[in-house]
Amino acid sequence: MLDSLSKMPIEMSSDTRRQLLNAVTDLFLLDQEPSELSKEHYGEIATHSLNHLDSPERQAYAEQVAAVPSLPHQVAVTLAGDHDGEVARLVLKLSPVLTDADLAAIAVSQSQYHLVAIAERARLSSGLTDILVERGNRDVLHTVSNNEGAAFSDRGFDKLLERGGSDIAISSALAARADLTPDRATRVMRIVEELNDSGGLWSKRPDEAVTLARQARQQRLEVKLLQSELTEGTRSLDDVIAMLAREDRAYHLAQVIGQAADITTEQALRVLMQRDVSGIAVTCRSLNVGTPAFEAVLTMRVRRLYFAQKNIKDDLRGYATLDGATAERTMRFLKMRTKLR
């Protein structure tokens, strides 16, 4: 059927194309694991139809498919690169189909609105943040500074301080990050205190920036204490995971999971914040994390990744049926594969 539809004539009205696209999309989304051939035919229909739709129609379609993991790659790229930022926004922010290369190409060529949407993604590589801090305006710099899932190279971090360090809102966002190394934390804290003393651009109490920075530093120390308690066995892993998830401390949660699973914090953050739940489910099951603690993790993911609440029940049912021994073997295989790379 999709093969036949993909060969339909191009002399169709915009309204007919919109109706066709809606109908075929509904059909396509019913298949949880479409074949490559189905994806190819659907991709042809979608990309050809999009060229004939106006902005509101393209935006409505983009909002429907933005987070779909089976969306054909070319469709995701087409939507993400749309000149209308409202069409591109959710796809840039949520699509698991877009690669770093796709996002980088858009980041060097599209508008600041596009860059803000990229900066809102749950995870950003240091290569992408290098581009964002080089090209981005204040809104982009502020967004990426607040994004705990954004990694920064030394060059990118230096450039961010150079371009946004004099803006106390950006410096404060950096100072509150959970992933700061001691050297970076010291540098940012010094800037925040200097700006605060000179009456920097801060819309609330003059000392709030410093207070937030100190609270963030206290949290960084706290997570080290929690990790020590876990090592000594004086605190249960479930308690720590549930607490950090409920407090929405994704990076600290990744640190704890990474230590417990013997993987890097970056690897733990990747599985925690990717849209596919299987990675974090396997990791938690291999650690014998209980259902209540895992539910807290899922609830945090709903907040961060804009999932529907009903997904929690489905994912919990899947977690309950996940075999612990299988999860452990999977983790051993993944760690071995990582070491061999």
Side-chain angles (χ1 to χ4, degrees):
M1 180 178 178
L2 288 176
D3 186 15
S4 301
L5 288 170
S6 68
K7 297 176 182 176
M8 291 188 73
I10 61 173
E11 297 85 4
M12 288 190 288
S13 68
S14 174
D15 187 58
T16 300
R17 285 191 175 276
R18 177 181 56 78
Q19 293 180 39
L20 171 64
L21 182 57
N22 288 340
V24 176
T25 298
D26 289 342
L27 177 65
F28 179 76
L29 295 181
L30 285 175
D31 190 349
Q32 296 297 312
E33 297 182 0
S35 67
E36 288 303 315
L37 188 59
S38 292
K39 291 173 67 173
E40 179 183 345
H41 293 323
Y42 173 71
E44 291 177 7
I45 296 168
T47 52
H48 291 164
S49 298
L50 286 170
N51 292 330
H52 300 272
L53 301 181
D54 59 24
S55 287
E57 291 170 335
R58 296 198 309 279
Q59 182 181 345
Y61 172 71
E63 291 173 353
Q64 182 182 10
V65 300
V68 174
S70 60
L71 189 69
H73 179 254
Q74 188 53 46
V75 179
V77 171
T78 299
L79 291 170
D82 196 293
H83 67 276
D84 187 331
E86 288 294 342
V87 175
R89 183 178 65 87
L90 273 186
V91 180
L92 287 171
K93 181 176 180 177
L94 299 177
S95 178
V97 178
L98 297 173
T99 67
D100 273 12
D102 298 328
L103 294 165
I106 292 168
V108 299
S109 61
Q110 292 289 352
S111 72
Q112 295 296 315
Y113 195 91
H114 290 74
L115 266 62
V116 169
I118 294 173
E120 292 177 334
R121 287 181 72 88
R123 286 185 53 257
L124 289 170
S125 69
S126 58
L128 283 172
T129 57
D130 281 351
I131 299 172
L132 295 177
V133 300
E134 183 71 38
R135 286 201 67 227
N137 60 15
R138 181 187 181 279
D139 288 340
V140 176
L141 298 183
H142 190 259
T143 303
V144 77
S145 299
N146 274 288
N147 185 348
E148 279 196 348
F152 294 96
S153 66
D154 289 339
R155 182 174 71 86
F157 192 81
D158 290 344
K159 188 68 175 181
L160 184 53
L161 284 183
E162 175 190 327
R163 296 198 60 219
S166 60
D167 185 322
I168 200 166
I170 294 173
S171 294
S172 300
L174 287 175
R177 292 181 64 88
D179 61 346
L180 290 185
T181 62
D183 176 64
R184 289 183 179 182
T186 299
R187 292 169 60 195
V188 175
M189 189 66 181
R190 186 182 303 121
I191 292 173
V192 169
E193 290 176 336
E194 289 174 355
L195 288 172
N196 186 67
D197 290 342
S198 63
L201 300 176
W202 187 247
S203 60
K204 301 179 183 179
R205 298 193 314 269
D207 62 344
E208 186 167 350
V210 175
T211 300
L212 289 175
R214 287 173 177 164
Q215 288 175 346
R217 182 169 57 188
Q218 184 61 38
Q219 285 189 336
R220 290 193 289 271
L221 294 174
E222 178 193 23
V223 80
K224 290 183 179 180
L225 177 60
L226 290 172
Q227 289 175 306
S228 297
E229 292 177 342
L230 287 171
T231 300
E232 296 166 358
T234 58
R235 194 80 176 260
S236 78
L237 181 61
D238 277 28
D239 285 346
V240 174
I241 285 178
M243 181 192 76
L244 294 176
R246 287 169 185 146
E247 293 180 2
D248 201 30
R249 293 165 60 179
Y251 187 83
H252 290 153
L253 180 56
Q255 284 183 299
V256 167
I257 291 174
Q259 175 185 267
D262 191 27
I263 58 177
T264 67
T265 299
E266 289 69 26
Q267 290 171 323
L269 187 62
R270 186 179 305 120
V271 298
L272 178 63
M273 300 309 296
Q274 68 186 10
R275 299 191 68 81
D276 185 351
V277 74
S278 59
I280 190 60
V282 166
T283 304
C284 286
R285 177 58 77 196
S286 72
L287 298 172
N288 294 316
V289 173
T291 300
F294 188 65
E295 183 175 7
V297 172
L298 293 176
T299 302
M300 187 196 75
R301 283 168 49 84
V302 164
R303 291 193 299 268
R304 291 281 186 127
L305 300 176
Y306 303 96
F307 287 138
Q309 284 285 343
K310 67 180 181 63
N311 288 353
I312 293 179
K313 292 183 179 179
D314 294 337
D315 291 339
L316 278 177
R317 281 195 292 269
Y319 187 69
T321 61
L322 181 59
D323 178 63
T326 301
E328 289 178 12
R329 286 195 299 271
T330 302
M331 285 299 295
R332 285 198 298 269
F333 169 75
L334 292 176
K335 284 188 279 189
M336 181 62 70
R337 188 176 66 176
T338 302
K339 290 178 182 178
L340 290 176
R341 285 178 179 175

